[in-house]
Amino acid sequence: MPDSFAAALIPWYRAHARDLPWRRGEYLERYGPWGVLVSEFMLQQTPVNRVIPHLEAWLTRWPDPLALAAASPAEVLQQWANLGYPRRALWLHGAAIAIRDEHGGRTPREVAALLALPGIGDYTARAVAVFAFGDRHPVVDTNTRRVIARAVHGVAQPAPPARRDLDDMLTLLPDDPADAAIVNAATMELGATVCTARTPDCARCPLSGLCAWRAVGFPESEDRRRRQAKYEGSDRQARGGVLRALRHADGHRLPAETVLPDWPDPAQRDRAIDSLIADGLLEASQGELMLPR
DNA sequence: TAGTCGTGGTC
DNA sequence: TGACCAAGACT
């Protein structure tokens, strides 16, 4: 299985991979491993097409870790704009500061060192080590887990994320690091464009000949996915609205009562503000709110 | 381990 | 139209 998996995916990837900014030679030459790290931060739980314009603007403003480390949290949150999960912006900023202070301004190559940076977990650490430095590690994201669930385990949906996923992927990697990097990228790419969550396009899949799920007739597996909580009226929506108002204030303070004045549940709005302050996403003084300095 | 954390596009 | 989904990490 490992050899045939790689043998099917590598030529497919060379022929069909999307032309994404962080895969272009000029991008890697200009921004180096830092460019890969920034792209992976933005791609956490955020679709490719929403990331691209933000990524280019971000790296134009802050092309390296030292530049970002010198910025203020308020500037960082403003530039992050509506990408979502704004804590990622603070973590990326913190990673830049740690790279400046603990790594001489150079993005570390070792997985353990990358894991020690804020906002970097199993996926992002290995993605940087593999795609920026060419080292051989298993890179496992949600697409990878779905492809392995189907092609290898013969089930429609992956089990909840577990450390075993890394071992599963490692089994599929060729010995050569460059080939292994392609297989990592190709597995993600296949999951993103062909072996998708809702409507897999098996007719165009390079793995159809060896797919365990296809071999057993595409059975539906028990749906153990967690239902996503409703966004409308949620605390998350309230937090998002508060931060949006502060971003639009363009660096100025706002009297607290002027932020989301028409929110249906004032107590929920106040809880949102408190939780944003607790998370370091907001500051309050003398009844006024502002982005953290 | 399970809950929480934004936002917008898709079907 | 509303539920699902998205290159996850942290607690």
Side-chain angles (χ1 to χ4, degrees):
Chain A
M1 175 61 131
D3 291 344
S4 53
F5 190 88
L9 275 182
I10 290 174
W12 173 82
Y13 184 78
R14 294 193 194 285
H16 297 291
R18 292 167 293 176
D19 177 28
L20 301 174
W22 45 90
R23 292 175 177 166
R24 297 207 260 267
E26 61 195 61
Y27 179 93
L28 297 171
E29 287 169 21
R30 177 175 300 179
Y31 301 114
W34 175 249
V36 174
L37 189 154
V38 174
S39 73
E40 296 296 350
F41 259 91
M42 290 190 175
L43 287 163
Q44 291 170 2
Q45 291 287 285
T46 304
V48 163
N49 288 333
R50 279 184 57 205
V51 163
I52 290 173
H54 288 282
L55 176 65
E56 292 175 348
W58 186 284
L59 286 171
T60 297
R61 181 172 183 179
W62 299 305
D64 56 54
L66 297 182
L68 180 59
S72 71
E75 292 173 309
V76 163
L77 288 169
Q78 195 116 23
Q79 186 70 40
W80 194 258
N82 63 338
L83 262 177
Y85 291 127
R87 284 188 291 194
R88 288 183 296 168
L90 295 186
W91 288 334
L92 176 55
H93 186 225
I97 291 171
I99 289 171
R100 179 193 67 192
D101 294 345
E102 299 168 24
H103 297 282
R106 303 184 66 86
T107 304
R109 174 172 189 157
E110 297 301 320
V111 169
L114 290 160
L115 283 171
L117 298 173
I120 294 191
D122 285 332
Y123 166 76
T124 305
R126 289 169 180 79
V128 172
V130 170
F131 302 135
F133 292 104
D135 293 333
R136 185 177 181 276
H137 302 282
V139 181
V140 176
D141 76 335
T142 185
N143 294 304
T144 301
R145 292 191 301 103
R146 185 172 55 251
V147 169
I148 290 177
R150 291 174 179 167
V152 177
H153 300 310
V155 297
Q157 305 289 345
R163 291 207 64 85
R164 199 197 72 238
D165 301 335
L166 292 175
D167 301 324
D168 280 357
M169 189 61 197
L170 185 58
T171 300
L172 297 171
L173 295 183
D175 292 334
D176 178 68
D179 286 342
I182 296 176
V183 170
N184 275 311
T187 306
M188 291 167 47
E189 184 76 358
L190 187 73
T193 62
V194 174
C195 192
T196 55
R198 295 185 192 179
T199 55
D201 189 357
C202 304
R204 290 200 294 109
C205 181
L207 300 182
S208 58
L210 54 78
C211 179
W213 189 42
R214 177 171 179 264
V216 295
F218 304 114
E220 288 302 321
S221 55
E222 185 185 356
D223 195 344
R224 41 166 88 90
R225 289 170 297 181
R226 266 180 307 159
R227 290 172 67 93
Q228 197 168 40
K230 195 164 98 173
Y231 186 63
E232 188 69 24
S234 66
D235 288 0
R236 301 165 81 168
Q237 187 187 32
R239 286 166 55 103
V242 170
L243 269 195
R244 181 189 305 272
L246 268 295
R247 288 198 308 269
H248 291 172
D250 202 34
H252 296 294
R253 299 161 176 258
L254 289 178
E257 65 273 15
T258 68
V259 175
L260 259 52
D262 299 325
W263 191 257
D265 181 350
Q268 183 185 41
R269 188 202 72 124
D270 293 343
R271 281 201 313 276
I273 289 171
D274 289 342
S275 71
L276 287 169
I277 293 169
D279 289 343
L281 290 162
L282 202 59
E283 283 183 6
S285 72
Q286 301 174 352
E288 293 186 314
L289 301 176
M290 62 183 133
L291 295 177
R293 290 163 296 161

